[in-house]
Amino acid sequence: MLSNIFTVSFFVSLLASTIRLATPILLPALGQIYTQRAGILNLSVEGTMTIGAVAGFAATYYSGSLWLGILMGMAFGMLYSLLMAVLSVTLRANQVIAGTALNILGIGLAVFFYRVIFGIQSLPPQVEPFQMLKIPFLSEIPVIGVILFQHNIIVYLSFVMVVITWFILEKTTFGLKIKAVGENPKAADSKGVNVSKYRYFAVLIGGIYAGAAGAFMSIAYLNIFTESIIGGRGFIAVAVVIFARFLPIRAMWGALLFGVASALQLRLQALGIDVANQLMLMLPYALTIIALVLASKKADFPSAYAIPYSRKER
Amino acid sequence: MLNKLTKNLNQILLAVGTIILALIVGGVIISFSGNSPLDAYFSMFNGAFGSKQRFMEVLVRMIPLVIMALGTSVAFKANLWNIGGDGQFIMGSIFAVFVTIYSGLPPVIGIPVSILAAMLGGGLWAGLAGWLKVKFNANEVITTLMLNYIAVYFLSFLVYGPMMDPKGSKMPQTEIIPQAFRLPLFESGNRLHMGIFLALIIVIIMIFFWKSTVGFKIGLLGQGEKVTTYAGVSVKKMIVFTMIISGLLAGISGWTEIYGVQYRLLEGITSGYGSMAIVIALMGGLNPIGILISGFFFSALLVGGATMQRMTAIPFSIVDIVQGLIIIFIIARTAVNFKEIKNKIVRRMGHVK
């Protein structure tokens, strides 16, 4: 019986949806690599993504343009994370509490404005999501073509961002400064690096990625908006960053690991296999805990992780 | 004595100021939606205090919220960011109902055992996160949150599967707990139950708890690990212990909701109490009396908000917005050094002269 289930086509569709489901974790995780590298633990990714999801959805619904939706998701994600930057960098507030507050506020604002814009409708408003973009020739390759080259454009771009994020952090002065303000803000300050400025940049970049990922959920994955559309992916992304020890390539593997856990649940359910569905739904969350447990002892946290910087306390 | 009084008065004034500020900003957001903020707040106030029944409903909501917020405050005082109140609430409820349905104990023994089971469920769930923290350095914010999701799905697995009411019509819920096990109601016509006394007793216990050696040690934990080591306390043990206390209170909070209001397990029993408990704990300054007062305020907001949504076109999420704003104003207030700003202004004025 098992051989009937675990066929080639099962694995192909499993791995293809793994890649699709990894995307909304990969994108915010890449953004949070900047933020966490700069020494800020931003727990409000979940709220920021929900804001991005509603902004992207509304923009696409009224303009008909999916790209405008992604752009608005990014813009609102950045705007919203500005609050986190003010609280954590300028006001030097406790980052855990600030993040928790911004999650409650963010989800509240997103749902509020969704209701105000769309009212109560018997059928939820929908948009036409991004279509699959088959890469010529490559998508024709058997098995691999279906797994890797039959996705929508945002999926491809997210994986391209892995390389770009790596390049910016490792090969540019900007990346060096981001890391410096997280590793040793005092030394960076004495070398003339404006600590606050670079921490602001790091939080805002994280917000842009999170906003894009939120918009991905509402206009490139589902084609509706719901209150729980993000479903903990923002928190999982924060955990993936720690699991990946703050490295983009590893974050990609981490995101794929979560992708496979979610994909497995969806595929098995689609096949109508009687593994209690709710137990399968736990998988990504349990995996997050296991990943954290395995990685946290070894993770080389930036020295100034979650510690506000003040020039006076030198 | 007088000093303490003015200090308390100051705190209360600051709290009221914070709430007013949050309501004003919330009002601006309401007016964006084309509604009148005054109408909204009036309907909210009326929804919470407009009749005896509504007021009783505020008290009903207050019972689990205050108990859970007390639990949250225990962890927060030790700088342990337990945001898994919902998961601990659920696990406590599951353990308790499991014992009540399947043990067949008579109520005299069965009721206390069910409370202990709730404490065990909540305590274990939070203690697990504490243990993962000390053993593997796993960030408790993320583990407690993930444990929330796991508890939610576990509950859903149980009510759709092994614990589904065998006599029911395939509804996702357990069988109802017998009358003799339930918390008695005050009067028919509203849902206020005797759990309110339990909440008050726990508030009093917590006042003494903070004066005890254990409470003092937990406070030390919040002032940095070094201090605690010097005072001869094993930091690791204290972290796990603090998390267990925090979680067992959340477990009791679940028990009051099941045995006082719901009488059975079903999906969505926490109704997002967890995040509200965090707001209540912070607003109450992590202090039992403060938590009691802020618990009352937020319960009114909850009940009033639900009425407002029914009566006006304003979505309930404005309640979440106000909650988020209140925490932001609280942390901004404590983070901003007012003296510094004052000095700066004075200096600038000096320059002008």
Side-chain angles (χ1 to χ4, degrees), chain A residues 37-267:
Chain A
R37 272 283 174 92
I40 307 283
L41 173 62
N42 183 359
L43 289 169
S44 70
V45 186
E46 185 85 6
T48 312
M49 286 175 78
T50 317
I51 297 241
V54 83
F57 184 81
T60 301
Y61 187 85
Y62 284 106
S63 73
S65 161
L66 289 159
W67 287 108
L68 187 70
I70 294 286
L71 210 65
M72 289 315 266
M74 291 162 78
F76 276 85
M78 185 180 77
L79 264 181
Y80 192 65
S81 64
L82 187 62
L83 277 176
M84 182 66 192
V86 172
L87 286 170
S88 60
V89 182
T90 306
L91 297 177
R92 302 198 294 272
N94 180 308
Q95 293 172 12
V96 174
I97 301 181
T100 307
L102 289 178
N103 277 330
I104 300 175
L105 180 67
I107 296 169
L109 282 172
V111 175
F112 182 84
F113 281 104
Y114 177 78
R115 277 279 310 274
V116 167
I117 296 170
F118 294 99
I120 302 171
Q121 303 184 9
S122 51
L123 278 173
Q126 298 190 349
V127 295
E128 195 59 46
F130 276 97
Q131 292 305 307
M132 186 200 290
L133 178 70
K134 287 188 182 174
I135 309 264
F137 306 117
L138 291 176
S139 62
E140 308 292 324
I141 307 170
V143 183
I144 294 177
V146 181
I147 296 173
L148 294 179
F149 301 110
Q150 297 191 7
H151 295 286
N152 70 48
I153 182 132
I154 307 297
V155 175
Y156 301 125
L157 287 179
S158 302
F159 281 84
V160 171
M161 287 312 286
V162 175
V163 183
I164 293 177
T165 305
W166 169 82
F167 183 81
I168 292 175
L169 278 170
E170 301 301 329
K171 302 287 169 197
T172 66
T173 351
F174 179 77
L176 196 68
K177 286 176 177 171
I178 294 271
K179 287 190 286 185
V181 300
E183 201 52 60
N184 193 340
K186 245 186 253 175
D189 196 1
S190 66
K191 291 257 162 61
V193 179
N194 186 336
V195 176
S196 299
K197 187 171 113 188
Y198 280 91
R199 286 194 163 172
Y200 261 79
F201 280 148
V203 175
L204 295 186
I205 292 172
I208 295 174
Y209 278 79
F216 174 90
M217 285 306 294
S218 61
I219 65 177
Y221 183 70
L222 303 168
N223 48 357
I224 53 163
F225 173 83
T226 67
E227 181 170 357
S228 54
I229 187 166
I230 305 303
R233 288 180 176 85
F235 296 113
I236 292 178
V238 173
V240 161
V241 175
I242 298 170
F243 175 61
R245 297 183 216 158
F246 316 98
L247 298 171
I249 314 276
R250 286 207 186 144
M252 180 184 80
W253 295 118
L256 286 170
L257 187 66
F258 289 99
V260 94
S262 322
L264 199 61
Q265 178 262 323
L266 281 180
R267 286 296 117 198

Side-chain angles (χ1 to χ4, degrees), chain B residues 53 56-57 59-61 63 183-194 257 260-263 273:
Chain B
Q53 198 186 350
M56 294 293 166
E57 194 57 28
L59 298 180
V60 169
R61 293 292 191 147
I63 297 165
L183 279 160
L185 295 175
F186 272 82
E187 54 189 19
S188 57
N190 67 64
R191 305 198 293 174
L192 186 62
H193 55 85
M194 296 296 174
E257 186 73 0
V261 180
Q262 305 288 357
Y263 306 139
Y273 286 160

Side-chain angles (χ1 to χ4, degrees), chain A residues 262-285:
Chain A
S262 322
L264 199 61
Q265 178 262 323
L266 281 180
R267 286 296 117 198
L268 289 180
Q269 196 191 350
L271 285 177
I273 292 172
D274 194 26
V275 182
N277 191 31
Q278 295 90 355
L279 296 183
M280 293 298 296
L281 282 166
M282 283 180 195
L283 209 58
Y285 306 104

